[in-house]
Amino acid sequence: LLVSAAFRVEILDDIPEIAMKAVSRLEEKLEKCRGSGTSVEMSEEFRHLTLQVIGEAILSLPPEECDRVFPKLYLPVMEESNIRVLAPWREYIPNSTWFEY
């Protein structure tokens, strides 16, 4: 019940504005890379963008804080989840992680 205050319906009205600000920040970042030959991992950028929108909408965190905190907490979990979905047999193949415990 304590979390229910953070998940209020009115917050949905704020999402488009928050998302547009996040897209503008990404646009600025990409504009700096234009013509430099620097590669940009777009899937990583979109992950950060998504986490920035969620972090600002639900937790009122600034984008810099979202970029600092969420990659350490959330991205490793998502990467492992994606691997399990794309290669479900992986957990049954013996590897070095089996013997770490």
Side-chain angles (χ1 to χ4, degrees):
L1 294 173
L2 295 175
V3 179
S4 65
F7 298 111
R8 59 190 194 282
V9 176
E10 308 86 56
I11 207 162
L12 296 176
D13 295 332
D14 300 335
I15 299 292
E17 181 182 342
I18 293 169
M20 288 302 295
K21 289 191 298 185
V23 169
S24 294
R25 286 190 301 271
L26 178 58
E27 180 184 18
E28 289 173 15
K29 185 174 184 177
L30 294 175
E31 195 61 40
K32 290 177 184 175
C33 295
R34 180 194 276 196
S36 70
T38 305
S39 64
V40 177
E41 183 62 44
M42 289 306 295
S43 61
E44 191 70 18
E45 293 301 326
F46 285 133
R47 282 189 198 123
H48 283 275
L49 183 132
T50 302
L51 292 173
Q52 288 174 6
V53 172
I54 293 169
E56 185 174 346
I58 295 182
L59 303 172
S60 301
L61 292 175
E64 300 79 22
E65 187 74 7
C66 293
D67 285 344
R68 188 181 68 76
V69 172
F70 285 138
K72 293 177 186 171
L73 299 176
Y74 176 77
L75 293 178
V77 172
M78 285 310 300
E79 288 171 7
E80 178 63 24
S81 296
N82 288 339
I83 291 170
R84 288 182 185 198
V85 167
L86 297 174
W89 62 86
R90 191 174 69 85
E91 69 177 299
Y92 302 110
I93 298 174
N95 60 51
S96 63
T97 61
W98 282 26
F99 306 105
E100 288 179 1
Y101 299 105

